[in-house]
Amino acid sequence: MKTFLFIAMCVSALAYLLINAKRPSRRHRSIDVILPAYNEEVCLEASISTLLANPYVNQVICVNDGSTDRTSEILEWCARKWPRLVAVNQENTGKGGALMHGLEYATAEQVFLTDADTFVPPDGDDLGYLLAEIEDGADAVGGIPSSNLSNAGLLPYIRATVKLPMIAIKRTFQQLTGGAPFIISGACGMFRTEVLRKTGFSDRTKVEDLDLTWTLVAQGYDVRHCNRCVVFPQECNSIVDEWKRWRRWIVGFAVCMRLHAPLLRTRFGLFSILPMFAVIVIGIAAYLWALSYAVPTHGLASPVKVFFPLAWVVVVAMIAAISALHHRNILLVALAPFAVLYVILSYAIWAVHGLKGLLTGREPARDKPTRYAYVVA
């Protein structure tokens, strides 16, 4: 049954892509980029450099959100080097506050929001495809945050095996059925400047991008997803960092379900939000049932039977083949079965922290993953 549903999602997503294919806009120098930065000394200069090299970018507005490392020093040096960089320093307010402060300096009709650890290809039309959606009437549009594998360890490679194709399939299907994608990622989103100024970001949650996306949908704005824009944020290199990051995402999701409870009864809630939660509930129940059956029957071999069934290995290998073509790395196909690690990780965090967040509305303090320098190809 799950295989049939997955195939149906893939076919629907492909048909939607073919029907709604657009050419990229050619309006160069028409986008302002807002780049919040907190303790980003390792990768800030490279990110600013590639953004300024992008033909669609008018200016980069980088907001140093009270960093305690050399971010401020590096930002000031970059501002002297590049006239189209607007350097803003402020006391620490959180990412939402930094983005809203940066928005005060925007002069373009649309702004692109991304993160300081994210590589945005300077020589493609990725931003042009987002801009084409804005020109077609969208108020906000998100792309795909893939994985930056430059200087990355083993975990980012495992994460990259299925990340890009699964985001493309899920968010396209959500657009088709729910009217809008589940989220516009903070690493890759374009907004009409006037719309963002009206709605604004909030730091009431640790997932300001999810909170904003649902707010825009609730207020009737046209929110879309675009598969032709792909950016490359860094992934975590340790299980500890991954636990902290996924805990923020999962508990933030749970808290947003409380904050946006009326939205759950709408088309968007029924087809974009609740299915994401249902998959977790059903998945946890299925694993517990399978383990209870397999352990008495297969003993020590039961985890292999439960977590690496043949159907799983075949399906994820096929999905990973797409990622392997995208990243030009065949190793991703071999690593694909180990993507179950992230399934187990998410289920465990939901059990330990997510349900508590759903019941209490409280989130843990925001933890920052360790950054690493990357090489721009």
Side-chain angles (χ1 to χ4, degrees):
M1 183 64 179
K2 288 194 298 183
T3 303
F4 173 78
L5 290 174
F6 178 73
I7 293 173
M9 284 178 60
C10 293
V11 172
S12 300
L14 180 60
Y16 183 85
L17 286 175
L18 294 175
I19 294 171
N20 291 276
K22 293 183 179 67
R23 294 182 181 274
S25 172
R26 294 302 178 191
R27 278 202 301 140
H28 292 172
R29 293 289 182 93
S30 61
I31 299 168
D32 283 353
V33 177
I34 303 179
L35 188 71
Y38 177 73
N39 290 353
E40 300 286 1
E41 63 178 5
V42 175
C43 50
L44 183 61
E45 181 185 350
S47 295
I48 293 173
S49 174
T50 54
L51 284 168
L52 288 171
N54 194 297
Y56 289 95
V57 172
N58 173 50
Q59 63 177 350
V60 174
I61 305 160
C62 184
V63 183
N64 169 35
D65 188 29
S67 298
T68 57
D69 63 356
R70 295 180 56 248
T71 294
S72 177
E73 177 186 338
I74 293 170
L75 179 58
E76 293 301 329
W77 180 85
C78 289
R80 292 193 295 269
K81 182 179 179 181
W82 294 306
R84 290 191 295 123
L85 170 63
V86 178
V88 181
N89 290 283
Q90 65 172 36
E91 297 295 323
N92 182 262
T93 63
K95 187 177 178 182
L99 288 166
M100 291 308 296
H101 194 179
L103 191 61
E104 296 176 9
Y105 296 84
T107 58
E109 294 179 352
Q110 48 277 318
V111 291
F112 176 71
L113 310 184
T114 188
D115 294 325
D117 69 303
T118 300
F119 173 66
V120 180
D123 53 357
D125 287 321
D126 299 80
L127 297 187
Y129 284 106
L130 295 185
L131 186 56
E133 295 289 348
I134 296 291
E135 292 172 347
D136 188 50
D139 297 303
V141 57
I144 298 179
S146 184
S147 301
N148 189 340
L149 299 181
S150 178
N151 278 8
L154 178 61
L155 280 178
Y157 277 84
I158 295 174
R159 174 83 167 118
T161 56
V162 298
K163 184 180 180 183
L164 181 143
M166 286 307 299
I167 288 177
I169 292 168
K170 286 192 295 184
R171 293 186 188 170
T172 302
F173 192 72
Q174 289 159 357
Q175 180 82 61
L176 179 63
T177 58
F182 176 78
I183 185 175
I184 292 180
S185 168
C188 185
M190 188 175 294
F191 303 80
R192 292 186 187 275
T193 305
E194 61 180 27
V195 169
L196 201 54
R197 283 179 172 146
K198 287 178 182 177
T199 56
F201 273 96
S202 169
D203 280 312
R204 62 179 179 174
T205 76
K206 304 299 189 296
V207 286
E208 64 291 319
D209 49 0
L210 185 65
D211 190 15
L212 175 65
T213 303
W214 293 11
T215 298
L216 290 172
V217 172
Q219 294 183 8
Y221 287 106
D222 187 345
V223 180
R224 301 182 190 177
H225 173 70
C226 174
N227 287 309
R228 298 299 299 272
C229 178
V230 181
V231 301
F232 300 85
Q234 291 186 359
E235 302 289 354
C236 295
N237 271 320
S238 74
I239 287 292
V240 173
D241 276 349
E242 282 288 29
W243 180 276
K244 291 177 181 178
R245 183 169 71 159
W246 281 73
R247 180 181 63 180
R248 176 174 67 84
W249 289 344
I250 287 169
V251 179
F253 174 19
V255 170
C256 279
M257 288 179 69
R258 289 174 57 93
L259 293 172
H260 297 271
L263 198 58
L264 302 181
R265 299 188 295 270
T266 67
R267 172 191 172 191
F268 178 73
L270 293 174
F271 291 100
S272 291
I273 299 176
L274 291 178
M276 296 287 285
F277 181 66
V279 165
I280 298 297
V281 175
I282 294 170
I284 292 175
Y287 269 139
L288 291 176
W289 178 85
L291 284 170
S292 68
Y293 171 79
V295 170
T297 307
H298 301 288
L300 294 177
S302 57
V304 177
K305 298 276 187 181
V306 172
F307 296 119
F308 297 96
L310 181 60
W312 163 269
V313 173
V314 172
V315 170
V316 296
M318 293 172 61
I319 295 173
I322 300 172
S323 296
L325 287 172
H326 174 69
H327 289 283
R328 299 179 183 178
N329 192 324
I330 194 64
L331 176 64
L332 297 183
V333 177
L335 290 173
F338 298 101
V340 73
L341 168 68
Y342 285 91
V343 176
I344 298 170
L345 180 73
S346 65
Y347 289 174
I349 294 173
W350 263 107
V352 176
H353 297 289
L355 294 178
K356 180 181 178 182
L358 185 61
L359 294 173
T360 66
R362 292 196 294 269
E363 299 171 87
R366 182 164 186 155
D367 294 296
K368 186 177 181 66
T370 303
R371 299 299 194 212
Y372 52 91
Y374 62 85
V375 179
V376 179

